Amino acid sequence: MGDMKDESSVANAIETINLEMTYRSGRVDVPAVQGLNLTVRQGEFIAIMGPSGCGKSTLLHLLGGLLQPTGGSILIDGIDISKLSDSERTTVRRKKISYVFQRFNLFPTLTARGNIELAKKIHGNGAPNSNGIAPIFEMLGLGGKFNFRPSELSGGEQQRVAIARAVINRPSIILADEPTGSLDSRNSHTVLRMLRDLNEKLGQTIVMITHDSEAASTASRVIEMKDGRILTPTARYSYEPEFERLY
Ligand SMILES: Nc1ncnc2c1ncn2[C@@H]1O[C@H](COP(=O)(O)OP(=O)(O)O)[C@@H](O)[C@H]1O
Ligand SMILES: [Mg+2]
């Protein structure tokens, strides 16, 4: 009994159970996610890799409540969002989820500071989160550039502002779809360092899609997808000791 209680009290940020997403385009069914089971604990930083078209972005949209799955369940902080109405799902999404995109999607007419403050104003829920702001600004490493507009910042600086904007209201989960996909390697490094700092210092849960194995190595766990499913993490390596014994 005690053991069961301990097990259920382990906090999962995300849990999917037999998750399915089949797009219907005309008369053709496109199965993008097929019977996918994924558990992400609070405070984990996971990277998802896999070939183009294997369903990574679809999975992220499902996790973020932007798409209604055609089968299975998604639990966010224990709430089954697949059973909610559209408006209920939107409420959970606004409160718990933030996105970072490959193209930074900052407001071009606002300064770095303005972009971050706008997010605070729109979605912020006041004082309880305020103490999170100082360390986030510190991690930004923008120097004196808080009053610069996006066009006056490098790609890496813009993406760091976008990440600060995503995290400013302390969402449970940050979903990042190829956040370094538009950056050169130096800027990629600074962006990845910021994500790792948010994860390590503030305990932020992060799910990041990437094509770059170096970027993936920033995460605490790497998951490989193929054909809408997760490959078992040890599959690729588990044969090596056997292989050595054979020869
Ligand atoms: N809105 C959509 N309508 C129909 N098919 C889609 C849609 N979005 C994605 N797909 C299809 O679903 C599959 C997975 O796509 P996606 O999730 O974008 O993969 P990835 O991000 O891994 O490249 C692909 O075959 C893609 O063509
Ligand atoms: Mg994609």
Side-chain angles (χ1 to χ4, degrees), residues 11-14 40-47 76-77 93-100 129 132-133 135-136 139 162-176 192-208 218-221:
N12 287 327
I14 299 170
V40 181
R41 295 205 178 182
Q42 274 174 22
E44 260 198 302
F45 180 1
I46 75 161
I76 301 294
D77 287 342
R93 170 160 58 80
R94 291 213 174 121
K95 220 167 113 190
K96 294 184 177 290
I97 312 271
S98 277
Y99 294 89
V100 176
N129 298 321
I133 294 175
I136 292 162
M139 278 176 206
I163 292 167
R165 176 181 64 177
V167 83
I168 203 72
N169 295 312
R170 302 301 300 278
S172 307
I173 301 159
I174 291 186
L175 303 174
L192 290 166
R193 191 179 314 122
M194 183 174 178
L195 287 172
R196 200 179 50 211
D197 280 355
L198 287 169
N199 174 252
E200 286 179 355
K201 294 180 184 160
L202 301 181
Q204 180 66 57
T205 307
I206 301 172
V207 177
M208 173 180 74
T218 308
S220 46
R221 183 156 61 104

Side-chain angles (χ1 to χ4, degrees), residues 2-143:
D3 283 343
M4 280 178 74
K5 218 173 188 178
D6 283 346
E7 213 162 284
S8 65
S9 70
V10 171
N12 287 327
I14 299 170
E15 190 178 354
T16 75
I17 303 156
N18 295 326
L19 188 60
E20 307 251 347
M21 183 67 211
T22 300
Y23 294 105
R24 305 194 196 288
S25 51
R27 315 184 97 192
V28 188
D29 282 355
V30 182
V33 169
Q34 308 186 62
L36 187 143
N37 295 296
L38 170 67
T39 301
V40 181
R41 295 205 178 182
Q42 274 174 22
E44 260 198 302
F45 180 1
I46 75 161
I48 298 177
M49 301 191 77
S52 195
C54 74
K56 303 180 298 296
S57 292
T58 299
L59 173 62
L60 222 62
H61 288 144
L62 290 166
L63 298 181
L66 294 169
L67 271 179
Q68 177 86 311
T70 52
S73 311
I74 306 165
L75 281 74
I76 301 294
D77 287 342
I79 300 168
D80 188 347
I81 61 167
S82 55
K83 303 287 186 290
L84 300 178
S85 69
D86 282 355
S87 69
E88 289 169 328
R89 207 167 62 241
T90 301
T91 304
V92 172
R93 170 160 58 80
R94 291 213 174 121
K95 220 167 113 190
K96 294 184 177 290
I97 312 271
S98 277
Y99 294 89
V100 176
F101 304 97
Q102 179 171 350
R103 307 206 152 272
F104 326 120
N105 295 356
L106 297 173
F107 283 98
T109 55
L110 295 177
T111 62
R113 184 193 300 278
N115 268 281
I116 296 167
E117 282 172 356
L118 181 65
K120 186 86 194 138
K121 220 177 278 173
I122 292 176
H123 295 302
N125 30 18
N129 298 321
S130 300
N131 55 3
I133 294 175
I136 292 162
F137 268 73
E138 210 166 284
M139 278 176 206
L140 259 174
L142 273 192

Side-chain angles (χ1 to χ4, degrees), residues 169-244:
N169 295 312
R170 302 301 300 278
S172 307
I173 301 159
I174 291 186
L175 303 174
D177 198 342
E178 305 199 34
T180 60
S182 306
L183 302 177
D184 62 22
S185 68
R186 195 174 56 86
N187 279 305
S188 292
H189 276 119
T190 56
V191 161
L192 290 166
R193 191 179 314 122
M194 183 174 178
L195 287 172
R196 200 179 50 211
D197 280 355
L198 287 169
N199 174 252
E200 286 179 355
K201 294 180 184 160
L202 301 181
Q204 180 66 57
T205 307
I206 301 172
V207 177
M208 173 180 74
I209 291 172
T210 183
H211 273 115
D212 176 9
S213 54
E214 210 184 316
S217 69
T218 308
S220 46
R221 183 156 61 104
V222 181
I223 283 164
E224 283 195 66
M225 273 185 78
K226 197 184 173 193
D227 301 334
R229 296 189 176 85
I230 289 173
L231 298 178
T232 48
T234 52
R236 207 206 291 171
Y237 305 104
S238 61
Y239 296 107
E240 283 178 12
E242 294 298 329
F243 188 82
E244 272 173 24

